[in-house]
Amino acid sequence: MPQSFMKQMVSLVTGQSDSDGKFRQLLETGPDALVVVDRTGRIVLVNAQVEKLFGFGREELIGKEIEILVPERVRGRHPGHRKGFFAEPNARPMGAGLSLYGRRKDGSEFPVEISLNSLKTEDGDLVSSTIRDVTEHKRVEEQLRTQAAVLQEQASLLDIAHDSILVRNLEGVISFWNRGAEKTYGWSKQEALGQVSHKLLQTQFPQPLEEIEAQLLREDRWEGELNQARRDGSRVVVASRKVLQRDRQGAPDRVLEINNDITERRRGEQKFRGLLESAPDAVVVVDQAGRIVLVNAQVEKLFGFKREELLGEKVEILVPERFRDRHPGHRTGFFTEPRVRPMGASLQLHGRRKDGSEFPVEISLSPLETEEGTLVSSAIRDITGRKLAEEEIRKLNGGLEERNAELAAMNNELEAFTYSVAHDLRAPLRHIQGFSKMLAEELGPQISAASQECMRDIIESTQVMGNMVDDLLGLAQIGRQELNVQVTGLNKLVEEVLKDLRSEMAEREIRLQIGELPFVDCDPGLMKQVILNLLSNAVKYTRPRNPAVIDVGQTVVEGQTAIFVRDNGVGFNMKYADKLFGVFQRLHRREEFEGTGVGLATVQRIIHKHGGAIWAEAELDKGATFYFNLATPENREARTARSSGGGRA
């Protein structure tokens, strides 16, 4: 390079002479790469930093066009930029806001900043380019931009979070207050910033503030519940988490505080605890490890343990020792497939008290899903009293069954005896009656009037007794007779009975009102006997009435069809109704109305044999109504016995 150029470079760059070579030394040791280019774009001078930065040897660059150091993708546009600079050679400082890139010998690119200066020399104008690799600078800038974006995103998230989030310094002065805090406490961001947090919120701490601050400094975090004030003066309970943030040197810097409003939850928990404590059953809550996490007062009362003796212990402490080995397996099985098991699931379960005594229990199990995992709630009921009552009932039932069996045997024997006696009395009574009639006919004129009266009494009495024996035989036969159930129309049976009663109804004014009667499942022969007894009673006890009124129909009583026979006869006093269906029980004198007192007992036995019930309603001198119903095919097996009342013999 001409000596005049070197002198001019020294003069322009260093402002001093180059007689001692200081310019070249300064040029070679400079921190930036220096490239000098002439007007044709050819490199005329480079320093050592150019070789280091671009990977070319100095001899590979001198005389080459500057575009050798420019990425291929922008080489086509670069000569135009170069000519434009020579046309107006203004200095361009480093970092002029342009995104520029250099190209190394191996083709790789890297970001650069370039400052340009024009040099006037005897050989013409030159351009000095100072080039700085800004790869690290760009990386730091990108990292800062990324961090800024993340911080901006985090700030946005903090601002839209439902939880109250605030940042304060070590003295408690608030520097960040999100929208969640505004919503929870009522103070705006402008009102809260710069305030001391615990004074603004009138915070009630679960322990002294000094201890909380000491734990923060020691462990960098603290969690607990705080009671604080809202702007309107109401109180709020929050679950608070405090995190200590440190600066780069590790010194305490500020505190991030996140508060979650749990006021309603605490109210609900308080209500739940009140319900839990007042529950009639003992309640034990167990975690998946089988450890007790919650009990109520009934557990203490029932098992004899104090609450603190149970919490954290295995639930097997409440299980009799003889079952403890198997119980963990049952517990594991329940957690594998947790489902509600209602109380009274037909399991024979026992509990164990603190003193070792056992007692029978019923247990209902329910899974509880919580943040800590699945828990199991056990409601435990002492059924000692019930078991004793059940045992007593079993004993009573056993005795009742024995007595019922004895009674059934006695009834069978009595029925057989009645049948036998009635059957055996028939012949002697007929003989007495027959011989009495023969004596009356043969000796009638020869005996006194008093003797003739006695003879008539004997004949009438044997006749009455014979009728009673016949009725007793009929009653006994009903008990021994099997039912021949058929679908039977009751209207047809009523028509047949009325034909049989024509002689008794002759020469009387009787108004019969026969309604529409149902078809029923019954023994037709026995049911005809029921209707005959009821209608003949109605005809008999309406003799004093003119006209007599007899109604036969159906009605509904307690949801079931009932047949009724109603008359306007002499009726009876309901005070004596309990005698109505007894054998030989009569509410009227035989001199007034004939009868043996067996008819209604026979009717009741037939109705009961059909699984039904019979009863009566009456009023003295105003008539009576008899009702009966029959069992349906569905409930014939479960025969119901309705208490009978009222009536006549």
Side-chain angles (χ1 to χ4, degrees):
M1 181 173 291
Q3 188 68 25
S4 61
F5 167 73
M6 292 299 297
K7 288 181 179 180
Q8 289 179 0
M9 280 290 289
V10 171
S11 175
L12 289 170
V13 176
T14 67
Q16 59 184 9
S17 68
D18 193 42
S19 58
D20 56 2
K22 289 182 179 179
F23 169 73
R24 177 165 293 281
Q25 183 180 358
L26 180 63
L27 186 70
E28 292 298 328
T29 59
D32 296 322
L34 180 66
V35 178
V36 180
V37 180
D38 63 16
R39 294 184 68 89
T40 64
R42 295 188 180 279
I43 299 170
V44 297
L45 178 66
V46 297
N47 67 354
Q49 291 299 326
V50 173
E51 295 179 291
K52 182 178 179 181
L53 186 59
F54 287 90
F56 288 97
R58 195 173 305 220
E59 63 280 1
E60 295 177 286
L61 293 175
I62 300 301
K64 298 292 196 296
E65 290 186 349
I66 187 63
E67 279 74 26
I68 192 174
L69 303 179
V70 176
E72 294 181 0
R73 56 191 173 86
V74 294
R75 282 184 184 177
R77 299 194 298 273
H78 193 265
H81 298 320
R82 173 167 40 82
K83 291 177 181 179
F85 182 83
F86 275 106
E88 290 186 45
N90 297 320
R92 191 182 74 186
M94 188 87 67
L98 299 176
S99 294
L100 304 176
Y101 289 85
R103 178 184 180 276
R104 299 186 182 92
K105 183 178 179 179
D106 61 9
S108 60
E109 299 181 11
F110 59 99
V112 296
E113 283 185 349
I114 300 176
S115 67
L116 300 177
N117 290 288
S118 61
L119 299 174
K120 299 292 184 178
T121 71
E122 296 175 354
D123 300 320
D125 294 337
L126 302 176
V127 174
S128 170
S129 305
T130 303
I131 305 169
R132 182 176 298 164
D133 182 0
V134 293
T135 300
E136 181 62 21
H137 178 67
K138 290 288 185 182
R139 186 189 67 78
V140 172
E141 279 186 350
E142 182 62 28
Q143 185 177 9
L144 290 175
R145 278 195 297 272
T146 301
Q147 289 177 348
V150 170
L151 290 174
Q152 183 62 37
E153 182 179 0
Q154 289 176 344
S156 299
L157 291 174
L158 291 177
D159 208 33
I160 65 173
H162 293 295
D163 290 342
S164 303
I165 301 176
L166 59 101
V167 178
R168 62 175 177 82
N169 63 15
L170 298 182
E171 287 73 37
V173 177
I174 300 170
S175 60
F176 179 82
W177 184 265
N178 76 335
R179 292 180 184 175
E182 290 182 340
K183 183 177 180 181
T184 298
Y185 298 108
W187 281 283
S188 67
K189 183 180 296 186
Q190 291 75 17
E191 292 174 314
L193 295 180
Q195 299 286 334
V196 176
S197 61
H198 66 271
K199 292 182 179 179
L200 176 69
L201 302 177
Q202 301 174 36
T203 304
Q204 296 175 1
F205 297 97
Q207 61 193 97
L209 178 59
E210 295 76 14
E211 294 182 10
I212 293 176
E213 297 292 342
Q215 183 177 338
L216 262 176
L217 292 173
R218 185 173 62 252
E219 302 177 8
D220 288 352
R221 64 186 300 109
W222 179 87
E223 293 187 13
E225 290 186 10
L226 304 175
N227 189 298
Q228 298 176 320
R230 295 188 178 98
R231 197 175 193 275
D232 62 6
S234 61
R235 304 297 295 184
V236 59
V237 179
V238 299
S240 181
R241 288 165 291 175
K242 304 177 188 291
V243 179
L244 179 66
Q245 296 181 325
R246 299 179 180 272
D247 59 19
R248 293 182 179 180
Q249 288 72 39
D253 183 28
R254 54 185 179 172
V255 176
L256 173 66
E257 186 172 323
I258 303 175
N259 296 331
N260 179 25
D261 183 356
I262 59 171
T263 306
E264 291 303 319
R265 188 204 307 173
R266 282 290 172 262
R267 288 175 183 165
E269 288 176 356
Q270 190 65 30
K271 186 182 295 184
F272 166 76
R273 183 166 291 279
L275 292 172
L276 182 69
E277 291 299 321
S278 61
D281 296 324
V283 178
V284 179
V285 179
V286 179
D287 64 16
Q288 294 197 35
R291 297 195 178 278
I292 299 171
V293 298
L294 180 67
V295 298
N296 68 349
Q298 291 299 324
V299 173
E300 297 179 291
K301 181 178 178 181
L302 186 59
F303 288 91
F305 288 95
K306 295 293 184 184
R307 197 170 304 215
E308 56 272 14
E309 294 178 290
L310 294 174
L311 296 179
E313 295 293 332
K314 292 278 190 177
V315 73
E316 281 74 25
I317 193 175
L318 305 178
V319 176
E321 294 182 2
R322 55 198 173 98
F323 299 130
R324 286 185 182 176
D325 292 342
R326 300 195 298 271
H327 193 265
H330 299 320
R331 173 164 45 79
T332 302
F334 183 86
F335 275 104
T336 302
E337 192 177 347
R339 65 185 185 280
V340 174
R341 190 183 78 187
M343 194 163 288
S346 300
L347 299 176
Q348 297 292 329
L349 303 175
H350 291 81
R352 179 185 180 275
R353 300 186 182 91
K354 183 178 180 180
D355 62 9
S357 60
E358 298 182 11
F359 59 101
V361 296
E362 278 186 348
I363 301 177
S364 68
L365 301 178
S366 300
L368 300 174
E369 297 299 331
T370 70
E371 295 178 356
E372 292 77 20
T374 302
L375 305 177
V376 173
S377 172
S378 308
I380 305 168
R381 182 175 300 168
D382 182 359
I383 57 172
T384 302
R386 188 202 303 172
K387 288 292 185 182
L388 292 175
E390 288 176 353
E391 182 61 29
E392 187 64 25
I393 290 172
R394 276 195 295 271
K395 290 179 180 179
L396 291 174
N397 285 339
L400 185 60
E401 288 175 1
E402 292 178 4
R403 286 192 293 273
N404 284 342
E406 292 173 0
L407 184 59
M410 291 173 62
N411 283 337
N412 290 334
E413 292 176 2
L414 182 59
E415 198 169 83
F417 174 75
T418 302
Y419 182 82
S420 175
V421 168
H423 185 273
D424 292 344
L425 282 175
R426 263 182 161 183
L429 284 173
R430 285 174 182 168
H431 290 163
I432 294 172
Q433 188 178 22
F435 288 129
S436 297
K437 287 181 179 181
M438 288 174 60
L439 287 173
E441 291 173 359
E442 292 180 4
L443 302 176
Q446 303 175 18
I447 60 177
S448 65
S451 297
Q452 290 179 5
E453 183 66 24
C454 288
M455 192 66 69
R456 284 194 298 271
D457 288 343
I458 292 172
I459 293 171
E460 289 177 4
S461 296
T462 54
Q463 180 64 44
V464 171
M465 193 169 184
N467 292 338
M468 293 176 66
V469 168
D470 289 341
D471 288 345
L472 279 175
L473 282 172
L475 184 63
Q477 285 174 342
I478 290 171
R480 300 156 69 95
Q481 181 179 340
E482 292 293 330
L483 289 179
N484 179 23
V485 178
Q486 301 175 24
V487 177
T488 305
L490 295 184
N491 281 101
K492 183 179 179 182
L493 293 183
V494 171
E495 291 175 6
E496 294 176 1
V497 167
L498 290 175
K499 289 180 182 179
D500 296 338
L501 295 175
R502 277 182 300 184
S503 60
E504 296 182 32
M505 298 168 58
E507 299 180 359
R508 287 186 57 192
E509 184 180 355
I510 299 178
R511 296 177 184 176
L512 291 170
Q513 299 176 3
I514 311 300
E516 188 69 27
L517 302 177
F519 283 79
V520 297
D521 292 319
C522 66
D523 184 311
L526 293 178
M527 192 53 56
K528 182 177 179 180
Q529 192 172 346
V530 168
I531 296 173
L532 177 60
N533 271 281
L534 295 179
L535 281 175
S536 63
N537 268 1
V539 171
K540 178 169 58 176
Y541 289 104
T542 57
R543 280 187 200 143
R545 303 292 183 254
N546 189 20
V549 179
I550 300 174
D551 295 341
V552 181
Q554 62 175 320
T555 185
V556 175
V557 179
E558 296 182 0
Q560 188 173 0
T561 298
I563 310 302
F564 67 84
V565 177
R566 180 181 296 118
D567 65 61
N568 66 338
V570 297
F572 57 87
N573 191 332
M574 290 292 288
K575 182 170 65 173
Y576 306 108
D578 58 332
K579 298 181 179 181
L580 178 63
F581 295 102
V583 179
F584 303 139
Q585 297 293 322
R586 295 175 53 84
L587 301 183
H588 299 85
R589 292 183 301 168
R590 186 175 286 108
E591 291 80 5
E592 295 177 316
F593 299 100
E594 72 279 3
T596 61
V598 180
L600 287 180
T602 302
V603 169
Q604 185 187 59
R605 183 165 294 190
I606 293 173
I607 295 300
H608 285 180
K609 198 172 183 70
H610 282 78
I614 182 167
W615 66 100
E617 297 173 355
E619 189 173 350
L620 189 61
D621 206 36
K622 291 186 179 181
T625 304
F626 283 82
Y627 300 87
F628 70 87
N629 58 31
L630 302 176
T632 61
E634 292 77 11
N635 65 9
R636 189 178 300 280
E637 294 300 322
R639 298 181 177 181
T640 59
R642 176 171 180 159
S643 57
S644 56
R648 301 160 295 195

